[in-house]
Amino acid sequence: MLEDPPLLLAAFSLGLVLLMLLLFQQYRGWIFLGWNELILQPIYNMLMGDSKEHRILRYVLQHAVAGDPQSVLDTIDSYCSQKEWAMHVGYKKGQIVDTVVREQCPSVLLELGAYCGYSAVRMARLLPPGGRLITIEVNPDYAAITQQMLNFAGLQDKVTVVIGASQDIIPQLKKKYDVDTLDMVFLDHWKKWYLPDTLLLEECGLLRKGTVLLADNVIFPGTPDFLEHVRSSSRFECTHFSSYLEYSQLVDGLEKAVYMGMGSPARP
């Protein structure tokens, strides 16, 4: 009986360790984000007296080649993989974005969520002659940084940066921004808005047969309602591209949903 307490303690300790490992595995993505966004970033902001986004812009202005979009992308990737993590689409998923943009060759491309302009630079550099990108960003500071990033990359004539909430701007696209229908939409803003904005785009008549929706972060942080809608609807044909969360080894992915039109036959 004297040996029972130590054995029980050992068993309890082992169980606790296994539980902690299980919780870490299940929530390691959120732990990763929390460490970078809630702990490291405020410390750096306090020590340096500015924001991470301004530090990224300053690094690009100091180290990238003006007028060279690829140099801008490489410089941002270098900073975010070596110095501070940031929520750009990144070079791994960026290659998937490149492939889809090249295949679609969009004349009118809409981006929801500009952040610091990484994906805007990435997509705008591949637009065909006369092609244009409209990027909607709700944060005025991020929008200003995006505009400076585009100016430095020499892409300002191809991109219109619009400040505002997507649900407010989308209904204005036809009249105010001279958009008939969209060839491609890149969704990379607040994940809770992926599905409402998809429905709004359809309601406003901005999707045509063949319009491509490309959605980032559908695995992590995740967009389950958006995925369930496009994958179960006969109006979309979907392809999933598995990848990793930007500048990490956390599993993530992009979803490509091709709009087939309102009258598409129901799936069997």
Side-chain angles (χ1 to χ4, degrees):
M1 294 293 295
L2 293 177
E3 295 181 357
D4 287 347
L7 289 175
L8 289 173
L9 180 61
F12 175 79
S13 300
L14 179 60
L16 184 61
V17 169
L18 291 175
L19 177 61
M20 291 177 65
L21 288 174
L22 180 63
L23 291 173
F24 176 79
Q25 181 67 23
Q26 184 174 356
Y27 296 105
R28 66 192 184 114
W30 295 108
I31 294 171
F32 175 84
L33 282 185
W35 173 254
N36 283 282
E37 296 290 277
L38 302 179
I39 297 176
L40 290 183
Q41 183 176 333
I43 292 174
Y44 290 154
N45 291 352
M46 181 178 63
L47 293 175
M48 299 182 185
D50 59 4
S51 70
K52 174 174 63 178
E53 293 74 26
H54 282 96
R55 292 191 290 273
I56 292 171
L57 175 62
R58 184 167 62 248
Y59 191 82
V60 168
L61 297 179
Q62 292 174 348
H63 295 88
V65 178
D68 185 342
Q70 189 60 52
S71 175
V72 170
L73 296 174
D74 292 343
T75 303
I76 295 175
D77 286 332
S78 176
Y79 186 90
C80 294
S81 60
Q82 298 175 18
K83 297 179 181 295
E84 291 186 84
W85 182 88
M87 55 183 179
H88 312 292
V89 68
Y91 53 88
K92 291 180 181 178
K93 288 186 292 183
Q95 294 173 8
I96 299 171
V97 175
D98 288 356
T99 298
V100 175
V101 173
R102 287 190 176 104
E103 289 175 350
Q104 188 66 8
C105 198
S107 295
V108 185
L109 196 165
L110 175 67
E111 177 183 41
L112 303 179
Y115 189 42
C116 293
Y118 178 95
S119 50
V121 170
R122 184 149 211 129
M123 295 186 292
R125 84 196 206 284
L126 299 176
L127 289 175
R132 61 183 176 128
L133 166 65
I134 300 171
T135 182
I136 301 173
E137 174 55 55
V138 70
N139 186 311
D141 290 337
Y142 295 169
I145 290 172
T146 293
Q147 188 64 66
Q148 292 179 74
M149 203 74 77
L150 290 163
N151 293 346
F152 187 80
L155 295 169
Q156 65 275 11
D157 293 338
K158 291 179 174 287
V159 184
T160 301
V161 180
V162 181
I163 302 173
S166 53
Q167 60 270 28
D168 296 329
I169 303 300
I170 286 172
Q172 303 177 31
L173 288 177
K174 281 185 175 288
K175 291 186 177 180
K176 190 171 181 178
Y177 298 95
D178 193 29
V179 174
D180 181 16
T181 56
L182 298 163
D183 300 312
M184 180 176 169
V185 182
F186 182 59
L187 298 91
D188 196 18
H189 55 332
W190 289 103
K191 311 313 162 192
K192 68 179 182 179
W193 287 109
Y194 278 28
L195 179 55
D197 283 348
T198 295
L199 297 174
L200 184 59
L201 286 165
E202 186 176 23
E203 178 185 325
C204 292
L206 289 161
L207 303 183
R208 59 163 177 80
K209 186 175 182 179
T211 296
V212 169
L213 307 184
L214 185 63
D216 190 20
N217 302 127
V218 296
I219 303 301
F220 185 81
T223 58
D225 57 345
F226 170 81
L227 285 183
E228 196 280 331
H229 175 76
V230 296
R231 289 176 177 179
S232 64
S233 173
S234 62
R235 300 197 297 274
F236 293 94
E237 287 189 357
C238 297
T239 305
H240 182 73
F241 299 95
S242 183
S243 188
Y244 296 93
L245 183 71
E246 43 269 27
Y247 316 113
S248 79
Q249 292 301 312
L250 296 169
V251 174
D252 192 16
L254 298 104
E255 191 80 2
K256 175 185 175 184
V258 182
Y259 186 68
M260 305 307 294
M262 290 290 292
S264 301
R267 291 178 182 171

